[in-house]
Amino acid sequence: MKKQSCQQAHGNDTNIINSLLHDPRGRVVSVEALMVVEITLLWFIAALGSCRRQSSSRFIRTLVWAVYTVIFLIFTYTIGFMQSSSIRIDLYPVWAVSFFAVLGCTNSITAFELDDNKQWMKHYIQLILYYTYVSVTLLHMTDAFVATSVTLPFTVTIYKNYMRIHACLLASESWYSSKLLADYMKHEVDSNESRYDPVSLAGYNYLVCWTGARIRAEPPYYRKQFIATENVITIEQIWHCDGRLMKSAGGAQLKDVCLSFALFHLLRRRYFGFSCSESGLQKTRDFIFRGLLAREEDYNRAFRVIQVELSFLYDFFFTKYALMYYREHIIFYLTVISVTLTPLVILAVTRARGIYHSSSNLTTVEIKNSDIVITVLNLASLALLDMLQLILYWLSDWGKVSLTCRYVSHIQWQKNNIMERMLAFLCKVTLLSNWQDKIGQYSLLESFQGNPYTRRFNIFLRWSNILYLQDQEKMGIDMGLLLNNRKAGISTNVDTEVKKAIVQSLKANNAQLSNGLSSLARNGLVEHFSWACRQETQTHKILIWHIATCYCEIAPPELELSGSLEQVDVLIHRGVATKLSRYCAYLVVFVPELLPDHQWDTKAIFDEVEKETREFLRSVRTSQDKYQVMKNLGELEETSFGKGAKLGKQLESITDYSVRWKVIADFWSEMILFVTPSDNVRGHIERLTHGGEFITHLWALLTHAGIVEQHKEKQNV
């Protein structure tokens, strides 16, 4: 009886599927359902596309990737479904154009990964094929009014899809504009301007806008130079604009946004392989140290400028905002035309009281009101999203830069109260926070007891040996290095004290990067701890000091703190030290490509150090037991874990609890800066889609201070 019920249920499911696939009404309902799903996914990705830079959640990234991929698959399947169908309905062309509009509608994501931008030719060929598919569908229209009403928005939709592809082309092939900027900055260096002010930015001719500028090339190097016109706007011009708005608090915000935009262009040069000609100038260092970081109260502002700069960098490579900035007139007209044509198409839909036509029989079924309602809601939803995205662009930082440049270059705008009020309103609008403002955390001593690979994964490795790899050693493959199944700790906020400690360390060394020796010298402890700064690689050094810091965390204080001020100092130094220590360990484990050593060397070294830790602390669970085991270890100089325990005991010998944590905090403040300079621009940009990394913010800050590489004499100390 039970078996019979199951068979009956299975039969019912089969009948439903056959009805949807072969029944005329079922096929139409299927297309309508897919259309609703497609529009829903479009709204979803429009809302969450930019949220990737605000979250490091793997779930969110996977969800965005799935939606980003499925949208194209649904379009391809549905167009093929309608093409292969023997049924022809007058609403099919309208639906086809709606599906086609979905592909080029969202501005929040044009590429999921950096390499997607290089696939622009593939997308262009796909666009031609999609255009052909939709055009064939349009040929079956029987009503002339419906045909005309649908063809017009279809033409606009073609160009909107082309603009999406052009955004990928801009992100991957815009080396020419970067070359122009590199030549311009080289000319600025050669001009050797001696008068400048890093506070008022007088003499800082960093370009903000040069769209439509006239260009000339001069021998013998034929570097391209700009001819001064109103289309060339620099930071100096914006900072010294006499407009009333630019002298207000709102104007200060607009100035900082434009400064971030200028710095974004300078940073983008490095992705296209152009050098930073200004990096060796004192003027460049003064811009950061005597300008943005001149006072302690400016530290948060300096990092805010960098955050907005990285937002521009993210938008340039992964969204349509950069193309909208450079083609804003075209985008504006396309949006207006698209929204204006929507009522015309809706009117045509209400007139399309056609019938279903089937070549296999003479079945005729009237179009239902539900078909009309779904189609109208679909068209209205697309028009609303189109208009909303245009509004969001003008409210974004891109729109603020565009309007500010026009305000500065047009005297009439500066005398127009309406324009000033509009710009003042934009200053008050903040759509989304730029970044998550958190740093990852990882503690080796707290996570060592978990195996790096789950049992299920070990089973997979064994079967992969048997079925495919056969012999990993001969093939040179270590699957353990390919997949990282470790779990990070809870991310923590990058508070003001952490930023302050890092900036003070940079200033204390006179903008010279140190691997920790300078901090030890300032504390008078070079002779005791310099050995811990002289290690084989930066990875060894980070792990040894991390183990020592973890040891000091679990070590009981030998002396009671004497007063409230001392307690505050200890809490501050301990907080800075532990956060930066765990963040550096996090970088070793999860983001090794942003560190100086080769990422596979870093992974291999950490795997071995983790094995050492597990071997020594295998049967230990509590922090107190871990402390006792590490304290009783002998002089195990040959192991990194032993060196870390030895360093921890040496640090513990500093009886003043406040001084001990100050020494550790000073070291990590120097160390995070020392490992920051990198030529892996691609790696930093790719991490922007994972919520961003704090080390990327430091990397950008050091770049604009002219520090683009480690000092070789200190790296090998």
Side-chain angles (χ1 to χ4, degrees):
M1 188 71 178
K2 188 175 182 180
K3 182 177 180 181
Q4 184 177 0
S5 300
C6 293
Q7 292 176 346
Q8 185 177 1
H10 178 70
N12 293 334
D13 294 340
T14 304
N15 292 333
I16 294 174
I17 295 174
N18 289 332
S19 175
L20 291 174
L21 293 178
H22 301 290
D23 180 70
R25 184 64 194 166
R27 296 183 73 90
V28 173
V29 171
S30 299
V31 175
E32 289 177 339
L34 289 172
M35 183 169 57
V36 172
V37 171
E38 186 89 335
I39 297 300
T40 303
L41 293 179
L42 177 64
W43 276 91
F44 176 87
I45 200 148
L48 290 186
S50 295
C51 292
R52 291 191 297 164
R53 72 185 189 194
Q54 295 177 286
S55 174
S56 58
S57 170
R58 183 178 299 178
F59 172 76
I60 291 180
R61 293 199 308 274
T62 304
L63 192 60
V64 172
W65 171 82
V67 175
Y68 174 76
T69 305
V70 167
I71 283 180
F72 291 90
L73 296 179
I74 290 178
F75 172 83
T76 304
Y77 171 79
T78 307
I79 294 298
F81 186 79
M82 289 190 291
Q83 281 292 327
S84 62
S85 174
S86 59
I87 299 166
R88 294 292 180 266
I89 178 176
D90 289 346
L91 291 180
Y92 265 12
V94 181
W95 294 347
V97 173
S98 298
F99 276 106
F100 197 50
V102 168
L103 299 185
C105 191
T106 181
N107 298 331
S108 63
I109 178 171
T110 54
F112 184 80
E113 295 179 341
L114 208 51
D115 284 338
D116 291 343
N117 290 315
K118 298 180 180 180
Q119 303 297 320
W120 61 270
M121 180 58 74
K122 170 186 172 183
H123 297 324
Y124 187 71
I125 295 174
Q126 287 178 341
L127 175 62
I128 296 176
L129 294 176
Y130 292 157
Y131 165 75
T132 304
Y133 291 153
V134 178
S135 297
V136 172
T137 304
L138 295 179
L139 293 176
H140 293 90
M141 290 185 293
T142 58
D143 190 298
F145 179 72
V146 177
T148 304
S149 303
V150 174
T151 302
L152 290 176
F154 177 53
T155 305
V156 176
T157 302
I158 293 174
Y159 197 80
K160 287 169 63 177
N161 274 275
Y162 170 76
M163 297 297 277
R164 179 182 63 84
I165 297 173
H166 192 58
C168 295
L169 181 63
L170 178 68
S172 61
E173 303 294 337
S174 60
W175 60 267
Y176 180 72
S177 61
S178 296
K179 175 70 167 64
L180 286 177
L181 183 60
D183 286 351
Y184 172 84
M185 294 304 295
K186 178 62 177 175
H187 176 75
E188 286 294 300
V189 171
D190 293 341
S191 65
N192 194 24
E193 184 178 0
S194 58
R195 295 182 180 179
Y196 62 88
D197 182 2
V199 177
S200 66
L201 294 187
Y204 286 88
N205 295 312
Y206 294 171
L207 288 175
V208 178
C209 176
W210 65 91
T211 305
R214 296 170 58 193
I215 301 169
R216 65 184 178 191
E218 296 181 349
Y221 298 105
Y222 296 101
R223 295 192 182 100
K224 294 177 171 55
Q225 300 299 326
F226 298 106
I227 300 175
T229 65
E230 65 177 14
N231 294 321
V232 179
I233 306 296
T234 67
I235 280 295
E236 182 182 22
Q237 290 175 261
I238 293 177
W239 243 254
H240 293 83
C241 176
D242 293 328
R244 180 176 53 187
L245 173 65
M246 303 309 290
K247 297 178 181 180
S248 65
Q253 295 180 20
L254 292 177
K255 289 179 180 179
D256 281 349
V257 172
C258 291
L259 176 59
S260 298
F261 192 67
L263 297 179
F264 142 70
H265 285 117
L266 297 178
L267 198 61
R268 192 186 69 181
R269 282 176 306 169
R270 299 191 65 182
Y271 176 77
F272 291 99
F274 296 106
S275 60
C276 302
S277 303
E278 74 281 6
S279 62
L281 298 180
Q282 184 63 38
K283 174 182 176 180
T284 304
R285 298 202 174 190
D286 287 345
F287 165 68
I288 294 296
F289 296 106
R290 292 178 51 203
L292 283 180
L293 299 176
R295 301 174 302 174
E296 288 189 7
E297 54 266 30
D298 292 336
Y299 293 173
N300 285 327
R301 172 184 168 245
F303 280 97
R304 188 165 57 249
V305 168
I306 298 299
Q307 287 177 349
V308 177
E309 172 195 0
L310 294 179
S311 296
F312 283 122
L313 193 67
Y314 170 88
D315 288 339
F316 179 83
F317 285 102
F318 301 106
T319 75
K320 203 189 290 184
Y321 281 108
L323 183 68
M324 294 181 72
Y325 172 80
Y326 294 114
R327 300 286 187 272
E328 58 187 12
H329 289 93
I330 297 177
I331 296 293
F332 175 77
Y333 292 134
L334 283 177
T335 303
V336 171
I337 293 173
S338 179
V339 173
T340 304
L341 290 176
T342 300
L344 180 65
V345 180
I346 290 177
L347 178 61
V349 168
T350 58
R351 287 167 47 95
R353 297 288 178 175
I355 59 176
Y356 301 108
H357 303 280
S358 175
S359 59
S360 59
N361 53 55
L362 299 178
T363 303
T364 61
V365 183
E366 290 293 335
I367 295 177
K368 294 186 177 182
N369 289 333
S370 60
D371 303 328
I372 304 295
V373 171
I374 291 175
T375 305
V376 170
L377 291 177
N378 169 46
L379 294 172
S381 179
L382 286 174
L384 177 62
L385 183 59
D386 231 2
M387 185 170 57
L388 179 62
Q389 291 191 128
L390 182 63
I391 295 174
L392 292 177
Y393 165 75
W394 287 112
L395 294 177
S396 71
D397 290 332
W398 293 87
K400 294 176 184 178
V401 170
S402 177
L403 292 175
T404 303
C405 288
R406 295 182 187 183
Y407 178 86
V408 171
S409 60
H410 293 83
I411 303 298
Q412 299 85 350
W413 281 41
Q414 299 174 25
K415 299 177 181 180
N416 190 325
N417 291 331
I418 296 178
M419 297 308 304
E420 288 198 338
R421 289 177 182 177
M422 184 175 67
L423 282 171
F425 170 75
L426 289 178
C427 296
K428 301 176 182 179
V429 177
T430 302
L431 298 178
L432 292 172
S433 59
N434 291 302
W435 302 101
Q436 58 179 340
D437 205 25
K438 292 179 179 290
I439 53 176
Q441 300 284 276
Y442 185 84
S443 174
L444 180 59
L445 264 61
E446 291 181 2
S447 59
F448 75 91
Q449 55 263 44
N451 289 327
Y453 317 112
T454 62
R455 183 182 173 205
R456 189 173 300 174
F457 180 66
N458 283 327
I459 294 174
F460 163 76
L461 285 180
R462 282 199 295 270
W463 278 103
S464 65
N465 265 338
I466 297 173
L467 299 177
Y468 179 68
L469 296 180
Q470 299 297 326
D471 191 338
Q472 287 185 4
E473 288 189 8
K474 290 183 179 179
M475 297 189 68
I477 298 175
D478 187 349
M479 295 296 291
L481 288 177
L482 295 180
L483 294 178
N484 188 346
N485 204 38
R486 300 177 178 90
K487 184 177 180 180
I490 300 175
S491 299
T492 184
N493 292 327
V494 188
D495 52 39
T496 305
E497 296 300 335
V498 172
K499 297 175 182 177
K500 180 179 176 181
I502 292 174
V503 173
Q504 287 179 341
S505 175
L506 189 58
K507 285 186 171 183
N509 291 334
N510 194 24
Q512 300 294 314
L513 301 186
S514 170
N515 63 354
L517 285 175
S518 295
S519 69
L520 295 177
R522 289 196 302 272
N523 288 291
L525 297 172
V526 173
E527 295 181 0
H528 298 86
F529 300 104
S530 60
W531 67 270
C533 295
R534 297 188 180 97
Q535 299 300 320
E536 292 81 357
T537 66
Q538 304 304 323
T539 305
H540 284 92
K541 189 189 310 176
I542 289 174
L543 292 177
I544 290 171
W545 277 89
H546 172 69
I547 293 170
T549 304
C550 291
Y551 175 88
C552 291
E553 279 188 79
I554 61 179
E558 297 182 2
L559 296 175
E560 294 294 332
L561 300 178
S562 58
S564 58
L565 290 178
E566 188 177 2
Q567 291 177 356
V568 172
D569 289 341
V570 170
L571 291 176
I572 291 175
H573 295 318
R574 181 186 175 107
V576 171
T578 55
K579 286 182 178 181
L580 291 180
S581 169
R582 294 183 179 215
Y583 180 58
C584 287
Y586 165 86
L587 293 175
V588 167
V589 179
F590 297 100
V591 202
E593 64 270 19
L594 300 186
L595 296 176
D597 299 329
H598 194 288
Q599 62 172 314
W600 295 112
D601 289 335
T602 300
K603 287 177 180 288
I605 292 170
F606 177 79
D607 280 349
E608 296 305 316
V609 174
E610 187 187 45
K611 290 177 183 178
E612 294 173 2
T613 306
R614 194 181 309 116
E615 179 181 350
F616 286 109
L617 303 178
R618 181 178 303 166
S619 59
V620 178
R621 291 294 178 266
T622 67
S623 297
Q624 189 59 34
D625 290 340
K626 294 176 186 177
Y627 168 74
Q628 291 298 332
V629 170
M630 296 176 71
K631 187 175 181 63
N632 295 330
L633 283 178
E635 296 293 328
L636 302 173
E637 293 287 352
E638 68 279 1
T639 67
S640 294
F641 181 80
K643 292 178 181 179
K646 173 187 174 181
L647 177 60
K649 286 183 283 187
Q650 286 185 329
L651 290 169
E652 188 183 20
S653 66
I654 303 176
T655 56
D656 190 323
Y657 203 57
S658 177
V659 173
R660 181 193 309 173
W661 281 110
K662 182 180 183 300
V663 170
I664 303 174
D666 288 349
F667 168 82
W668 284 115
S669 299
E670 279 195 359
M671 191 61 191
I672 188 66
L673 288 169
F674 185 74
V675 299
T676 292
S678 170
D679 290 328
N680 187 11
V681 184
R682 177 189 177 90
H684 281 287
I685 293 176
E686 287 178 336
R687 292 302 300 182
L688 296 180
T689 63
H690 294 63
E693 291 293 344
F694 181 60
I695 195 173
T696 300
H697 293 68
L698 297 178
W699 171 73
L701 184 68
L702 293 183
T703 297
H704 301 312
I707 306 173
V708 295
E709 62 181 0
Q710 291 177 334
H711 298 286
K712 301 301 181 183
E713 70 273 9
K714 290 184 177 292
Q715 183 178 359
N716 298 319
V717 172

